[in-house]
Amino acid sequence: MPHLQTALTDIHQAIDNHWEEQLDFLKEIGRFPSTLGNEQPLQSYIADYLKNTLDMEVDRFTPDVKKLSSHPGFSIPEHPYDGREVVAAVSKKHGSSGKSLLFQSHIDVVPPGSLRFWSTNPWDPVQRGNKLYGRGMQDMKSGASAMIFAYRAIREAGYEPDAPFMLQTVIEEECTGNGALAALDRGWNSDAVLIPEPFGMKASTSQVGVVWFRITVLGAGAHTERASEAVNAIEKSYKVIEALKSYEQMINSRERPEAYKHHPHPLNINIGTIQSGDWPSSVPAEAVIEGRAGLFPGQDPSEIKEELKAWVLEHVKDDEWLASHPPDIYFFGFHAEGAVVEEDSPMMQTLGRAHETIHEEALSFQPITATTDTRFYTLYYDTPATCYGPVGGNMHGGDEWVDLESVKQVTKVYAAFLADWCGLKKREGDGS
Amino acid sequence: MPHLQTALTDIHQAIDNHWEEQLDFLKEIGRFPSTLGNEQPLQSYIADYLKNTLDMEVDRFTPDVKKLSSHPGFSIPEHPYDGREVVAAVSKKHGSSGKSLLFQSHIDVVPPGSLRFWSTNPWDPVQRGNKLYGRGMQDMKSGASAMIFAYRAIREAGYEPDAPFMLQTVIEEECTGNGALAALDRGWNSDAVLIPEPFGMKASTSQVGVVWFRITVLGAGAHTERASEAVNAIEKSYKVIEALKSYEQMINSRERPEAYKHHPHPLNINIGTIQSGDWPSSVPAEAVIEGRAGLFPGQDPSEIKEELKAWVLEHVKDDEWLASHPPDIYFFGFHAEGAVVEEDSPMMQTLGRAHETIHEEALSFQPITATTDTRFYTLYYDTPATCYGPVGGNMHGGDEWVDLESVKQVTKVYAAFLADWCGLKKREGDGS
């Protein structure tokens, strides 16, 4: 095995040398509007890149709902998986002395929302100063570029990992996580997993669970002329939102796991969408609210669903109409448990050393208040997994951006982590 | 001139004789989904019917926005008028001793809304008992059938009006009224106007004015993880709705015109639609509310718009976010004044006599809390106009229906009104 420090100097130099290419790659993948159901063109682009530029063995496959449905981490999807592939790749010429490693990034992004909140086209990344703006630039295409270019730099510097090294781009991280689950179920696992979620250059320890709800509030539609006799579903839906806000207050005030003891507001109930009515002069007879509820590690999503439902129904009961026309509460998308990963595991120590090569200070840890795909590895496959990624802003909002300097630093940390965890061997036989 | 009572016996008999045909006609026009922008197929069907079955002279034309825009009754439309015709027709072989008359019906209908509120297809009228269910069956295709079959019965009984008799089907009654205004502007007017709005077999006297508003509420979008730092546009929009409800309370509590003195709730502010968000786990950055506000006759819609706007902005100011990010309040669609028509006019007396031929009791009058096309005739062309139509239910809601017995009675009242107002002459020269 080559001396790590010596190798890293060359590897980090390679990252600097290819920085413009990495930037072009990031902009290019940012131009794919890879929202729910529209992931495939980007997946094909990345699969080709991994195969042709990084000489990896690539596996493309779609999640098998029938097979996954009995898995405790499975969320019932709302969209079929035909033609929506997961991309998994492994280094071909790796050695076998070190420990295997998986870098996994989701390539699905949330919709851009109203264009009024964007200064430029969300699907055409634009650099201003050290920031790159575009949907997915923070969450998490910059992370995808970092993991891919970390491995590329190792090869450019004349090395291969001394253990199987895997890259994966998955779908549906933003709604079910079934992409990551399908890859695990297919056997794609390793001794440690790193996901480049852009929560800043800290390692995530705990994460919350998430369930999604869809609540249909009924009114009694009518012509405006009789508006005072009719029941307006929009007005009634506010009672439901109030109940959800009081539920949020309750769950944040009850006993918490250690990791969230001092967090100001770990569990968010987000009212994400509302749709109601189709004519200004008609009283709307139906309003549909969609949202997301957080839960603590250790809590069962099924129980939280029951609790939320019972709470809302109980807390709208003082409204006569809602008491006799209870809102329909349906759960879809995320059925995600919270998860915890140990701070003092070998993976974290190795990541810590890699972090120090760039930052000259100890790696810090953070519990997060969102869910990520790491839960599948830690909860169901006994595999340590953490998130560590670049710095950015406006994730899921308008003018999402990523800090480019942090992307470069993260790429270097990934390379150092890879080299340390897997070990390195000299590349052979391909003319270098 | 033939003896009215004798003639009416034959005419009403003709209505009974053609009742099944009228019912088929009503079902047929109910199958046209003549919502905003989709009026033309039905207009063509009706124009052909007026020309071929009733031998009328038919004029088809589209509203000329440029020409209408300086008219005080004009509302700025949101949709172009290309290929969206108004149909106006006049009897060819009428006499000239009586007074001219116009029956005018809109053929546009509001969207059906969620199908969960419909027991059967809204675009395929279904009879259950004496009720006919379908979108537009009450508002106001049954009225259209009544006015057309009233004239048909007069011809079938061997008569023609003794003055110009006009039938009109217009567009956009449900959003601007520009269809009716365009016909007037083109010269289609008469000595009296009856509109078969389905407010029951009473004659309308006053009606309120209407303005539509579209309010855009801004938030600050974000990933759920930072939901507590972000600003949720859906939650903020409730402050705006509350302000609108307090405005509604205020306008109903201030001094009213005589016609509305004892009405429990003459002016409705309807929250008709809300749209916000596109992802359960994103904090929505924008919510758009559309609605309708009523105003009293004598009030200027422009002033009401200013008042509503100022009220809302003032009443959301205690919210720090909304104070610094005031909602955008825009007015579109209806810019309609309220209007009053005299109860003791010759038109009302004639309608009263016609009503008595069927109901054997005096015609009663009602102020209404919606707007109708009658405003254009009374306010800007000094022409008496009223609404009198069938009985129905769930107008603008699901399972809209009309009472078929009332449709037949209304058809007979229209025929009696037509005969009395225009006078009758024997039909000549077409083989009868």
Side-chain angles (χ1 to χ4, degrees):
Chain A
M1 176 173 165
H3 187 269
L4 183 61
Q5 210 46 55
T6 316
L8 267 190
T9 305
D10 292 346
I11 292 166
H12 285 169
Q13 187 60 51
I15 289 170
D16 285 331
N17 293 347
H18 291 89
W19 175 244
E20 285 303 319
E21 256 178 286
Q22 182 175 348
L23 197 54
D24 286 346
F25 177 87
L26 174 52
K27 288 177 183 167
E28 184 64 24
I29 64 177
R31 288 186 196 104
F32 288 86
S34 54
T35 50
L36 183 61
N38 305 303
E39 310 91 346
Q40 192 68 354
L42 177 52
Q43 287 293 60
S44 294
Y45 178 84
I46 289 175
D48 289 348
Y49 193 91
L50 299 182
K51 188 175 164 215
N52 301 331
T53 306
L54 299 185
D55 191 30
M56 300 183 87
E57 195 176 314
V58 174
D59 179 25
R60 301 170 64 160
F61 55 93
T62 55
D64 180 341
V65 172
K66 212 166 171 180
K67 193 148 174 289
L68 294 181
S69 61
S70 58
H71 196 287
F74 176 70
S75 298
I76 299 169
E78 295 227 315
H79 303 270
Y81 289 119
D82 311 337
R84 299 174 57 212
E85 290 170 325
V86 173
V87 173
V90 62
S91 53
K92 266 189 203 159
K93 299 181 178 161
H94 59 79
S96 52
S97 306
K99 286 169 287 183
S100 65
L101 179 63
L102 166 60
F103 284 173
Q104 187 259 61
S105 168
H106 68 85
I107 56 88
D108 54 309
V109 296
V110 300
S114 172
L115 292 186
R116 74 186 288 165
F117 298 104
W118 288 89
S119 311
T120 53
N121 182 347
W123 304 120
D124 191 8
V126 167
Q127 185 174 351
R128 291 197 290 278
N130 206 32
K131 294 178 176 176
L132 187 63
Y133 292 83
R135 171 56 82 229
M137 286 305 93
Q138 183 187 10
D139 184 14
M140 61 186 281
K141 290 178 176 176
S142 52
S145 86
M147 69 182 197
I148 288 169
F149 276 76
Y151 178 52
R152 179 169 166 165
I154 282 173
R155 289 171 49 85
E156 297 286 345
Y159 300 101
E160 279 288 356
D162 205 8
F165 169 70
M166 289 158 256
L167 284 172
Q168 226 175 72
T169 50
V170 302
I171 63 170
E172 281 208 359
E173 188 275 344
E174 296 285 8
C175 56
T176 63
N178 288 340
L181 186 61
L184 267 166
D185 185 66
R186 197 174 164 90
W188 283 100
N189 201 1
S190 64
D191 294 325
V193 177
L194 185 140
I195 297 187
E197 288 282 0
F199 304 137
M201 291 175 277
K202 300 174 180 175
S204 63
T205 48
S206 300
Q207 67 180 31
V208 302
V210 167
V211 297
W212 278 5
F213 52 81
R214 178 180 294 137
I215 305 183
T216 303
V217 183
L218 296 188
H223 187 284
T224 290
E225 197 210 355
R226 292 166 296 116
S228 47
E229 298 158 42
V231 178
N232 190 309
I234 296 173
E235 293 174 36
K236 289 298 172 197
S237 70
Y238 278 74
K239 281 293 292 182
V240 173
I241 290 175
E242 274 171 22
L244 288 164
K245 299 313 283 182
S246 73
Y247 177 70
E248 183 183 39
Q249 222 165 8
M250 183 278 284
I251 58 178
N252 279 291
S253 69
R254 67 182 169 192
E255 211 186 337
R256 307 173 176 187
E258 190 54 38
Y260 297 99
K261 275 258 169 6
H262 304 292
H263 194 287
H265 199 274
L267 299 182
N268 288 302
I269 306 288
N270 185 56
I271 312 300
T273 77
I274 184 170
Q275 309 290 334
S276 180
D278 53 15
W279 199 253
S281 288
S282 298
V283 180
E286 185 179 66
V288 180
I289 299 164
E290 288 181 350
R292 168 269 198 205
L295 49 134
F296 287 123
Q299 293 184 320
D300 176 347
S302 299
E303 283 172 21
I304 294 299
K305 288 176 180 178
E306 286 307 313
E307 180 183 80
L308 183 151
K309 187 172 173 171
W311 181 281
V312 170
L313 293 178
E314 181 60 33
H315 284 75
V316 300
K317 258 192 182 162
D318 58 323
D319 182 283
E320 206 177 316
W321 173 264
L322 290 172
S324 57
H325 299 79
D328 176 60
I329 303 175
Y330 174 77
F331 295 92
F332 71 116
F334 278 124
H335 179 94
E337 291 181 71
V340 178
V341 64
E342 298 306 320
E343 288 186 14
D344 54 1
S345 66
M347 174 190 72
M348 291 296 199
Q349 288 168 17
T350 310
L351 183 60
R353 283 196 298 276
H355 177 83
E356 284 175 41
T357 62
I358 300 302
H359 295 283
E360 294 172 356
E361 60 179 26
L363 175 65
S364 63
F365 298 94
Q366 62 183 347
I368 57 175
T369 59
T371 186
T372 76
D373 280 344
T374 58
R375 69 184 181 278
F376 300 111
Y377 306 95
T378 56
L379 286 171
Y380 312 117
Y381 292 86
D382 201 22
T383 301
T386 190
C387 297
Y388 175 100
V391 176
N394 298 342
M395 178 160 62
H396 286 213
D399 276 348
E400 176 181 348
W401 58 271
V402 72
D403 177 283
L404 289 172
E405 183 54 31
S406 80
V407 178
K408 196 195 280 185
Q409 291 170 350
V410 160
T411 308
K412 291 180 177 175
V413 172
Y414 289 175
F417 178 42
L418 198 173
D420 193 357
W421 183 264
C422 298
L424 293 180
K425 70 182 192 81
K426 278 276 177 200
R427 278 177 74 180
E428 296 158 5
D430 53 1
S432 64
Chain B
M1 176 175 166
H3 187 269
L4 184 62
Q5 211 46 55
T6 318
L8 267 189
T9 306
D10 293 347
I11 292 167
H12 284 169
Q13 186 61 51
I15 289 169
D16 286 332
N17 292 347
H18 291 90
W19 174 244
E20 284 303 320
E21 255 177 287
Q22 181 175 347
L23 197 56
D24 287 345
F25 177 87
L26 173 53
K27 288 178 184 167
E28 182 65 23
I29 64 176
R31 288 186 198 104
F32 289 86
S34 54
T35 50
L36 183 62
N38 304 305
E39 310 90 345
Q40 192 68 354
L42 178 52
Q43 288 293 61
S44 293
Y45 179 85
I46 290 174
D48 289 349
Y49 192 92
L50 299 182
K51 188 176 162 213
N52 301 330
T53 308
L54 299 185
D55 192 30
M56 299 183 89
E57 195 176 312
V58 175
D59 179 25
R60 301 171 65 161
F61 56 93
T62 54
D64 179 342
V65 171
K66 212 166 173 182
K67 193 149 173 287
L68 294 181
S69 60
S70 58
H71 196 289
F74 177 70
S75 298
I76 299 170
E78 296 226 316
H79 302 271
Y81 290 120
D82 311 336
R84 300 174 57 211
E85 291 170 324
V86 173
V87 172
V90 61
S91 54
K92 266 190 203 156
K93 297 178 180 165
H94 59 77
S96 54
S97 305
K99 285 169 288 183
S100 65
L101 179 64
L102 166 60
F103 283 174
Q104 187 259 61
S105 167
H106 67 84
I107 57 87
D108 54 307
V109 296
V110 300
S114 172
L115 292 186
R116 74 186 286 164
F117 298 105
W118 288 89
S119 311
T120 53
N121 182 347
W123 304 121
D124 191 8
V126 166
Q127 185 174 350
R128 290 198 291 277
N130 205 31
K131 294 178 176 177
L132 187 63
Y133 291 83
R135 171 56 83 228
M137 287 303 95
Q138 182 186 13
D139 185 14
M140 61 186 284
K141 290 177 175 176
S142 51
S145 87
M147 71 183 195
I148 289 170
F149 277 76
Y151 178 52
R152 178 169 166 165
I154 282 173
R155 289 171 48 86
E156 297 285 344
Y159 301 99
E160 279 287 358
D162 205 8
F165 170 70
M166 287 158 258
L167 284 172
Q168 226 174 73
T169 51
V170 302
I171 64 169
E172 282 210 358
E173 189 275 342
E174 296 284 9
C175 56
T176 63
N178 287 341
L181 185 61
L184 267 166
D185 184 67
R186 197 174 164 90
W188 282 100
N189 200 1
S190 65
D191 294 326
V193 177
L194 185 140
I195 297 186
E197 288 283 0
F199 304 137
M201 291 175 276
K202 299 174 181 176
S204 63
T205 49
S206 301
Q207 68 181 30
V208 302
V210 167
V211 296
W212 277 6
F213 52 81
R214 177 180 295 138
I215 304 183
T216 305
V217 182
L218 296 188
H223 188 284
T224 290
E225 197 208 357
R226 293 165 296 119
S228 46
E229 298 157 40
V231 179
N232 189 310
I234 296 172
E235 293 175 34
K236 288 300 171 195
S237 70
Y238 277 78
K239 282 292 294 183
V240 174
I241 291 175
E242 274 172 20
L244 288 164
K245 300 313 281 183
S246 73
Y247 177 70
E248 183 183 40
Q249 222 166 7
M250 183 278 286
I251 57 179
N252 279 292
S253 68
R254 68 183 168 192
E255 212 187 335
R256 308 173 175 188
E258 191 54 39
Y260 296 100
K261 275 257 169 8
H262 305 293
H263 194 287
H265 199 274
L267 299 182
N268 288 303
I269 307 287
N270 185 55
I271 312 300
T273 77
I274 185 169
Q275 309 291 333
S276 181
D278 52 17
W279 199 253
S281 286
S282 298
V283 181
E286 184 179 66
V288 180
I289 300 164
E290 288 181 348
R292 168 268 199 206
L295 49 135
F296 287 124
Q299 292 184 322
D300 177 347
S302 299
E303 284 172 21
I304 293 300
K305 288 176 179 177
E306 286 307 312
E307 181 183 80
L308 182 153
K309 187 173 173 171
W311 181 281
V312 170
L313 293 178
E314 181 59 34
H315 284 74
V316 300
K317 258 191 182 163
D318 58 322
D319 181 283
E320 206 177 316
W321 172 264
L322 290 173
S324 57
H325 299 79
D328 176 60
I329 304 176
Y330 174 78
F331 295 92
F332 71 115
F334 278 123
H335 179 95
E337 291 181 71
V340 178
V341 63
E342 299 304 321
E343 288 187 12
D344 54 2
S345 66
M347 174 191 72
M348 290 296 200
Q349 287 169 17
T350 310
L351 182 60
R353 283 196 298 276
H355 178 83
E356 284 175 40
T357 62
I358 301 301
H359 295 282
E360 294 173 355
E361 59 178 26
L363 175 64
S364 62
F365 299 94
Q366 63 183 346
I368 57 175
T369 60
T371 186
T372 76
D373 280 343
T374 59
R375 69 184 181 278
F376 300 111
Y377 306 95
T378 56
L379 287 170
Y380 312 118
Y381 293 86
D382 201 23
T383 301
T386 192
C387 297
Y388 176 102
V391 175
N394 298 343
M395 176 159 64
H396 286 213
D399 276 349
E400 176 182 347
W401 58 271
V402 70
D403 177 283
L404 289 170
E405 183 56 30
S406 80
V407 178
K408 195 194 278 186
Q409 290 170 350
V410 161
T411 308
K412 290 180 177 175
V413 172
Y414 289 174
F417 178 41
L418 197 174
D420 193 354
W421 182 264
C422 298
L424 294 178
K425 71 183 193 77
K426 278 276 178 199
R427 276 177 76 181
E428 294 158 7
D430 54 0
S432 66

